[in-house]
């Protein structure tokens, strides 16, 4: 599979969806790369046999001698590739104007974080998805990079309207053992509950009202699962909205099984960005209580083994014509220590430099 350096995670997922159906038990997958590291997120979840690479190269020599690394893997039993499709509901001008008014004109009231969230989103809830998918650019690459193991328990922290579930489709959600949508904002959870009912997911998806930092009721009836029992946790444009975001990450770490996966998509600024970028975007987003920080990605890398992380830029509705109106965003996939670790073995297990554009 020497063509994959030129392919996006999205395309590779589509390819593997077809490949896996045709593979015999124990089938081997062999590919070369121009990179020193295995950088393709969906392939991190294969079972690597890097110690056997020399023998494989001897049997399958590189005729052009142009690749830096060779990778050799088999497909583990728990490997599953669920089809994923973009979720891009269409908006009317009236809907957009309503959202913009509530975002930038309507005052935010409330004496605590929950009250302010509900004040901000109450009049946006019905139009939330049709507007925001056009500038929450990190959601789709996060969905493509995260694993979908068979019978997994998935907790979407700050899951809001539950739109992340749409990436896996009505039937794809049934491949999960259980999905939990946690949010502190009642208006957004109301939309999520309607989505669950409309798709017939009542037996698979639970909407939980709660604080992302509160671990006190984990395992209780009607709340999140017990600590150490979750396979996958996502934060989709929620980490920057949580005041004590480190406590939220501690909560996620507690919930995950050893070897469990965390996947995040959000706005960001990094130390690699210019002073202008690091000053402009945090100032703009702070008006809506969103806190961009150079500390998010380093903190994630301290707590989890990085499997994938890319920092890119994306625009906003009606502002795409402005060259500097491109805010940095990222997606990150990491693995909790312990359990079965993903990714290649040996020297290829080193963490590559952060991919920032």
């Amino acid at each position: 599979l020497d063509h994959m350096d030129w392919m996006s995670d999205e395309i590779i997922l589509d390819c593997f969806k077809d490949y896996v159906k045709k593979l015999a038990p124990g089938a081997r997958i062999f590919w070369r790369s121009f990179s020193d590291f295995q950088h393709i997120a969906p392939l991190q979840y294969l079972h690597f046999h890097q110690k056997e690479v020399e023998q494989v190269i001897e049997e399958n020599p590189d005729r052009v001698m142009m690749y830096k690394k060779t990778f050799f893997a088999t497909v583990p039993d728990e490997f599953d590739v669920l089809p994923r499709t973009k979720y891009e509901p269409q908006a009317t001008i009236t809907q957009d104007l309503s959202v913009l008014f509530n975002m930038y004109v309507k005052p935010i009231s409330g004496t605590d974080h929950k009250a302010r969230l509900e004040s901000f989103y109450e009049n946006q809830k019905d139009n939330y998805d049709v507007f925001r998918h056009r500038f929450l650019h990190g959601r789709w690459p996060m969905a493509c990079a995260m694993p979908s193991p068979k019978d997994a328990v998935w907790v979407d922290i700050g899951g809001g309207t539950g739109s992340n579930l749409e990436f896996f489709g009505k039937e794809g959600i049934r491949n999960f053992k259980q999905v939990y949508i946690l949010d502190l904002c009642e208006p957004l959870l109301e939309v999520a509950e309607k989505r669950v009912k409309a798709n017939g997911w009542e037996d698979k998806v639970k909407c939980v009202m709660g604080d992302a930092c509160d671990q006190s009721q984990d395992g209780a009836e009607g709340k999140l699962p017990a600590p150490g029992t979750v396979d996958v946790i996502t934060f989709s444009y929620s980490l920057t909205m949580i005041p004590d975001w480190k406590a939220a990450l501690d909560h996620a770490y507690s919930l995950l099984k050893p070897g469990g996966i965390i996947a995040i998509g959000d706005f960001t600024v990094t130390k690699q960005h210019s002073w202008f970028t690091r000053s402009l975007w945090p100032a703009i987003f702070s008006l809506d209580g969103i806190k961009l920080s150079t500390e998010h990605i380093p903190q994630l890398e301290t707590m989890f083994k990085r499997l994938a992380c890319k920092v890119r830029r994306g625009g906003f509705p009606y502002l795409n014509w402005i060259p500097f109106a491109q805010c940095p965003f990222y997606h990150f996939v990491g693995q909790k220590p312990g359990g079965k670790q993903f990714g290649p073995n040996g020297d290829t297990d080193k963490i590559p430099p952060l991919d920032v554009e």
Side-chain angles (χ1 to χ4, degrees):
L1 299 175
D2 291 341
H3 56 283
M4 291 191 293
D5 277 347
W6 289 271
M7 296 166 62
S8 66
D9 289 349
E10 176 184 354
I11 296 173
I12 290 171
L13 272 173
D14 285 340
C15 290
F16 258 78
K17 177 182 64 178
D18 296 325
Y19 294 164
V20 169
K21 297 175 184 177
K22 301 175 183 178
L23 292 177
R28 303 187 301 174
I29 301 173
F30 169 63
W31 72 97
R32 301 178 177 97
S33 174
F34 288 110
S35 174
D36 287 321
F37 305 93
Q38 202 305 99
H39 62 96
I40 302 168
L43 303 185
Q44 294 282 35
Y45 314 114
L46 297 174
H47 184 196
F48 285 84
H49 304 277
Q50 290 306 104
K51 293 181 180 179
E52 302 174 35
V53 163
E54 289 188 10
Q55 179 182 345
V56 175
I57 293 176
E58 186 176 337
E59 295 173 358
N60 303 272
D62 184 353
R63 292 173 295 176
V64 293
M65 301 297 292
M66 61 189 293
Y67 294 103
K68 288 186 176 181
K69 283 288 183 180
T70 299
F71 300 96
F72 174 46
T74 53
V75 180
D77 292 339
E78 66 273 17
F79 186 82
D80 199 8
V81 181
L82 293 179
R84 286 154 226 207
T85 55
K86 288 186 176 181
Y87 178 60
E88 299 177 330
Q90 298 301 304
T92 65
I93 293 294
T94 302
Q95 289 173 313
D96 282 354
L97 289 174
S98 174
V99 171
L100 290 168
F101 173 82
N102 283 281
M103 287 178 67
Y104 298 113
V105 180
K106 179 181 174 291
I108 301 173
S109 60
T111 57
D112 59 23
H113 183 53
K114 176 177 171 61
R116 288 191 293 272
L117 281 176
E118 294 182 346
S119 169
F120 185 63
Y121 287 118
E122 174 60 41
N123 294 325
Q124 297 185 54
K125 63 182 181 181
D126 294 327
N127 300 320
Y128 181 94
D129 293 330
V130 297
F131 188 81
R132 278 172 171 76
H133 78 84
R134 286 175 281 163
F135 68 89
L136 303 186
H137 303 290
R139 280 186 169 179
W140 176 239
M142 179 200 77
C144 290
M146 65 182 277
S148 54
K150 298 173 183 177
D151 296 320
V153 175
W154 171 20
V155 176
D156 192 11
I157 296 182
T161 66
S163 62
N164 286 327
L165 280 62
E166 299 283 359
F167 294 132
F168 294 92
K170 186 173 183 178
E171 295 306 316
I173 290 299
R174 298 204 161 274
N175 286 271
F176 291 91
K177 181 179 179 180
Q178 195 73 58
V179 180
Y180 296 82
I181 302 171
L182 175 72
D183 209 281
L184 189 60
C185 182
E186 186 172 356
L188 296 184
L189 271 186
E190 289 174 0
V191 178
E193 288 167 349
K194 291 177 182 177
R195 171 173 275 119
V196 170
K197 186 174 181 180
N199 285 283
W201 290 334
E202 291 94 336
D203 60 326
K204 285 290 182 179
V205 181
K206 296 181 179 179
C207 297
V208 180
M209 175 78 68
D211 190 323
C213 305
D214 183 11
Q215 304 184 33
S216 64
Q217 298 190 62
D218 292 349
E221 182 68 25
K223 299 296 181 180
L224 294 183
T229 63
V230 175
D231 298 284
V232 179
I233 286 179
T234 50
F235 286 83
S236 177
Y237 286 85
S238 56
L239 196 64
T240 50
M241 298 194 70
I242 300 171
D244 193 354
W245 59 272
K246 289 185 178 180
L249 289 180
D250 287 339
H251 188 191
Y253 191 94
S254 170
L255 287 168
L256 285 171
K257 296 177 177 177
I261 295 294
I262 187 169
I264 297 177
D266 213 328
F267 300 113
T268 193
V269 286
T270 72
K271 292 181 179 179
Q272 289 94 321
H273 288 123
S274 68
W275 173 87
F276 180 76
T277 294
R278 286 184 282 113
S279 302
L280 173 68
W281 293 109
I284 289 175
F285 278 101
S286 66
L287 299 175
D288 287 333
I290 301 171
K291 298 181 180 180
L292 277 61
S293 173
T294 58
E295 296 182 25
H296 287 156
I297 294 175
Q299 180 65 26
L300 287 166
E301 293 189 327
T302 297
M303 299 175 68
F304 303 96
K305 170 187 172 182
R306 189 215 304 165
L307 298 177
C309 186
K310 292 182 179 180
V311 181
R312 299 293 184 261
R313 288 179 180 263
F316 300 85
Y318 306 108
L319 297 177
N320 288 320
W321 58 275
I322 303 176
F324 63 82
Q326 302 278 319
C327 180
F329 68 90
Y330 75 105
H331 73 274
F332 174 94
V333 180
Q335 185 172 26
K336 181 177 177 177
K340 183 179 178 181
Q341 291 292 296
F342 294 121
N345 301 313
D347 62 350
T348 55
D349 204 30
K350 296 176 183 176
I351 302 298
L354 188 62
D355 184 354
V356 179
E357 289 185 357

